[in-house]
C-alpha cells in the first residue's frame, strides 16, 4: 500500500505519543513516562516523539492499528476513562510486536465536538494545540474523525482498534469505518454494553456517550445491521427498542438463559440473513459483570462473563471478517464504593485480556 499521500504533517499534529493524549503538566506525567520507556526505551518525551514520528511513516495494513482517544467528556457516574488508552496498553505490552501503535488523539478535556464551538473558541484552541490558526479540528471527536478518515482514504483495509475514552469516542471510529466500506450492506456492528446508548439526545447534546449508537444508526445500511449484547440497565425493555428503533438486542439475561452456543447461533443467523461479511465490534467494558469490570464509570451487576465474550468473539472471527473494533470505558483509577483495590487491579487484567481478544479477532 502506497502511504506517501498520507498527510503526516497533519497526523503528527492531530495525534501524540501512545498514552500521552491526556493533558498533564507534572502530576500524572510519570504514568506516561513508564509507558514511553517500555515502548521507546526512553522517558524523554522529546526523544520518544522523534521515534514515534519516524514510525508514523511506516503505517500499513499488515498489523492491526491502535488509536487511543483519551476523552471522557461526560461519561459514566464516575469519570476516569481518559486514562483507559494508557492503562490498556500497559496490560498488553507483551504483544506490542503484533500491532502498530498510531498514538493518542490530542485531547482538550473541556471539548467534545467542534460543532458545539464558536469561531472564537476554535481559533483560540487551534493556537493552543497547533501554534497557529490553521484549518485543523480541535475537539477530540472531531480530531479523531479527521485522522481516521485520512487513514482509511490511504489504507482502506486498515484494521483499527480504538481505545477509549468514554463511549462517545466510538462515534468517529464507527462512522469512518462505515464510510470507508465499499459494500455497506455487508458491514455490520456488534455492540457489547450494559446500556443501550440509544438516546437521541442527552441534556440537549446529540453526540455523547449516551447517544452515539442512536447517531450511528443513520450510517448503517439498515437498523438491522447492529446487534446489542449484554444490555441490562435500560429505562425501556427489549421490545420497546425493537419496536421503536428496530434494533436487535440480546440482553445479559438472554445470554445467561441461552448459553453461548445458542446466542452465537442467533447472532450468526441474524447477520447471515442480511448478507453481512464484515463486522465492527464495539466493546464497552461495562458489558461485563461488575466482578470483572469494577474500574469503569458505570459498573453494573448481573453482566456477561469474560470467557463467554471471548468465545462469542472468536466464533464470530471464524465466520466473519472482523475489520474494526474498540474497547471503551476502561477507567483504571476509578474505585466505586465497595470495590477493593484487588478488584480494581483484576478488572485491569480483564480489560487487557479483552484487548488481546479483540486484537486476535482483527488478525484472524
Ligand atoms: Mn456504552
Amino acid at each position: 500500500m502506497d502511504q506517501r499521500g498520507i498527510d503526516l504533517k497533519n497526523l503528527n499534529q492531530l495525534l501524540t505519543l501512545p498514552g500521552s493524549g491526556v493533558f498533564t503538566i507534572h502530576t500524572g506525567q510519570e504514568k506516561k513516562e513508564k509507558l514511553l520507556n517500555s515502548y521507546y526505551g526512553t522517558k524523554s518525551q522529546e526523544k520518544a516523539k522523534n521515534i514515534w514520528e519516524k514510525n508514523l511513516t511506516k503505517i500499513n495494513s499488515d498489523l492491526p492499528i491502535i488509536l487511543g482517544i483519551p476523552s471522557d467528556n461526560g461519561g459514566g457516574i464516575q469519570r476516569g476513562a481518559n486514562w483507559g488508552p494508557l492503562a490498556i496498553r500497559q496490560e498488553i505490552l507483551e504483544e506490542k510486536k503484533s500491532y502498530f501503535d498510531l498514538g493518542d488523539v490530542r485531547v482538550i478535556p473541556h471539548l467534545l465536538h467542534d460543532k458545539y464551538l464558536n469561531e472564537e473558541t476554535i481559533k483560540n484552541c487551534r493556537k493552543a494545540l497547533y501554534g497557529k490558526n490553521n484549518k485543523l479540528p480541535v475537539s477530540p471527536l472531531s480530531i479523531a474523525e479527521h485522522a481516521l478518515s485520512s487513514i482509511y482514504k490511504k489504507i482502506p483495509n486498515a484494521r483499527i482498534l480504538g481505545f477509549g475514552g468514554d463511549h462517545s469516542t466510538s462515534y468517529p471510529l464507527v462512522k469512518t469505518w462505515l464510510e470507508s466500506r465499499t459494500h455497506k450492506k455487508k458491514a455490520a456492528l456488534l455492540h457489547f454494553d450494559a446500556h443501550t446508548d440509544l438516546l437521541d439526545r442527552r441534556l440537549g447534546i446529540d453526540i455523547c456517550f449516551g447517544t452515539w449508537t442512536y447517531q450511528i444508526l443513520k450510517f448503517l445500511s439498515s437498523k438491522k445491521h447492529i446487534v446489542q449484547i449484554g444490555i441490562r440497565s435500560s429505562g425501556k425493555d427489549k421490545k420497546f427498542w425493537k419496536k421503536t428503533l428496530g434494533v436487535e438486542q440480546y440482553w445479559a439475561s438472554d445470554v445467561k438463559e441461552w448459553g453461548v452456543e445458542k446466542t452465537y447461533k442467533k447472532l450468526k443467523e441474524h447477520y447471515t440473513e442480511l448478507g453481512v461479511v464484515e463486522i465492527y465490534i464495539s466493546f464497552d467494558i461495562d458489558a461485563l459483570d461488575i466482578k470483572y469490570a469494577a474500574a469503569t464509570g458505570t459498573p453494573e451487576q448481573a453482566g456477561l462473563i469474560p470467557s463467554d465474550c471471548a468465545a462469542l468473539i472468536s466464533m464470530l472471527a471464524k465466520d466473519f471478517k472482523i475489520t474494526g473494533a474498540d474497547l471503551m470505558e476502561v477507567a483504571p483509577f476509578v474505585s466505586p464504593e465497595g470495590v477493593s483495590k484487588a478488584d480494581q487491579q483484576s478488572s485491569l487484567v480483564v480489560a487487557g485480556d479483552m484487548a488481546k481478544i479483540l486484537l486476535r479477532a482483527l488478525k484472524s
Side-chain angles (χ1 to χ4, degrees):
M1 175 60 63
D2 175 14
Q3 58 252 194
R4 281 169 300 180
I6 289 187
D7 198 341
L8 289 171
K9 199 167 150 269
N10 281 353
L11 220 47
N12 69 5
Q13 288 189 84
L14 297 164
L15 309 179
T16 185
L17 295 160
S20 290
V22 180
F23 183 73
T24 56
I25 304 286
H26 300 293
T27 311
Q29 194 67 22
E30 72 289 347
K31 296 185 178 83
K32 297 177 180 175
E33 287 170 355
K34 194 177 154 206
L35 185 74
L36 292 182
N37 201 25
S38 310
Y39 263 61
Y40 306 112
T42 173
K43 286 182 181 178
S44 148
Q45 284 265 342
E46 209 181 299
K47 282 183 190 157
K49 199 163 182 208
N50 280 334
I51 306 171
W52 168 74
E53 277 185 358
K54 268 186 207 127
N55 285 349
L56 278 183
T57 61
K58 296 177 194 152
I59 184 172
N60 62 60
S61 58
D62 296 345
L63 294 173
I65 297 164
I66 284 179
L67 176 67
I69 313 178
S71 163
D72 70 345
N73 197 327
I77 301 291
Q78 299 191 80
R79 301 278 187 95
N82 57 336
W83 288 106
L86 182 132
I88 299 167
R89 284 182 176 102
Q90 289 285 8
E91 297 297 325
I92 61 169
L93 270 180
E94 77 260 33
E95 303 205 5
K96 73 175 193 287
K97 286 206 166 71
S98 72
Y99 54 84
F100 180 92
D101 203 325
L102 198 58
D104 278 3
V105 164
R106 293 175 72 191
V107 172
I108 297 178
H110 322 283
L111 308 185
L112 184 56
H113 193 287
D114 283 2
K115 68 184 271 185
Y116 303 124
L117 303 178
N118 60 27
E119 271 311 310
E120 189 194 351
T121 306
I122 290 179
K123 201 174 135 191
N124 290 337
C125 292
R126 276 183 184 142
K127 275 191 192 144
L129 280 180
Y130 311 120
K132 58 184 172 193
N133 186 21
N134 53 22
K135 292 270 178 266
L136 295 177
V138 294
S139 304
L141 301 188
S142 309
I143 292 178
E145 185 171 335
H146 192 95
L148 286 160
S149 60
S150 73
I151 292 161
Y152 279 126
K153 222 170 265 169
K154 289 296 158 192
I155 313 175
N157 58 341
R159 288 158 298 153
I160 294 168
L161 174 57
F163 291 151
D166 75 35
H167 219 151
S168 69
T169 60
S170 286
Y171 178 78
L173 284 157
V174 179
K175 181 172 181 259
T176 54
W177 178 80
L178 282 167
E179 283 170 347
S180 60
R181 301 304 100 183
T182 34
H183 302 287
K184 294 220 188 320
K185 277 189 179 167
K186 295 181 180 176
L189 178 59
L190 178 61
H191 174 196
F192 286 86
D193 209 316
H195 316 96
T196 68
D197 299 355
L198 280 171
L199 295 173
D200 58 344
R201 278 178 168 66
R202 184 178 186 266
L203 298 170
I205 301 297
D206 61 350
I207 302 176
C208 70
F209 72 97
T211 64
W212 77 272
T213 315
Y214 179 88
Q215 297 302 336
I216 277 299
L217 293 178
K218 58 175 175 270
F219 300 106
L220 291 165
S221 173
S222 83
K223 285 170 183 173
K224 287 186 170 173
H225 281 70
I226 171 172
V227 177
Q228 298 190 307
I229 184 163
I231 309 293
R232 58 197 183 280
S233 180
S234 167
K236 303 283 196 298
D237 64 7
K238 197 163 80 166
K239 275 194 200 122
F240 171 86
W241 296 115
K242 181 87 180 193
K243 211 174 137 203
T244 54
L245 296 179
V247 172
E248 181 89 355
Q249 295 176 339
Y250 306 151
W251 283 42
S253 54
D254 296 328
V255 178
K256 199 174 174 192
E257 187 192 320
W258 300 335
V260 175
E261 298 292 327
K262 189 176 165 191
T263 305
Y264 183 67
K265 198 167 164 262
K266 280 176 175 281
L267 194 60
K268 187 182 171 181
E269 272 170 20
H270 180 87
Y271 286 139
T272 307
E273 249 171 53
L274 294 170
V276 166
V277 297
E278 62 174 317
I279 291 168
Y280 183 108
I281 301 174
S282 181
F283 199 102
D284 188 322
I285 200 73
D286 69 29
L288 300 178
D289 191 272
I290 187 170
K291 265 188 293 204
Y292 310 100
T296 186
T298 318
E300 304 280 359
Q301 314 246 352
L304 303 177
I305 59 173
S307 57
D308 283 356
C309 297
L312 283 169
I313 292 169
S314 72
M315 285 190 272
L316 205 69
K318 283 197 185 100
D319 293 326
F320 303 90
K321 282 190 286 184
I322 312 299
T323 54
D326 62 53
L327 182 58
M328 295 288 148
E329 301 282 1
V330 175
F333 311 122
V334 156
S335 169
E337 214 182 323
V339 173
S340 68
K341 192 87 191 152
D343 282 348
Q344 207 183 347
Q345 194 49 46
S346 68
S347 66
L348 283 184
V349 175
V350 170
D353 288 344
M354 292 316 306
K356 289 175 200 165
I357 287 155
L358 293 170
L359 262 179
R360 233 159 273 150
L362 284 168
K363 282 197 286 182
S364 61

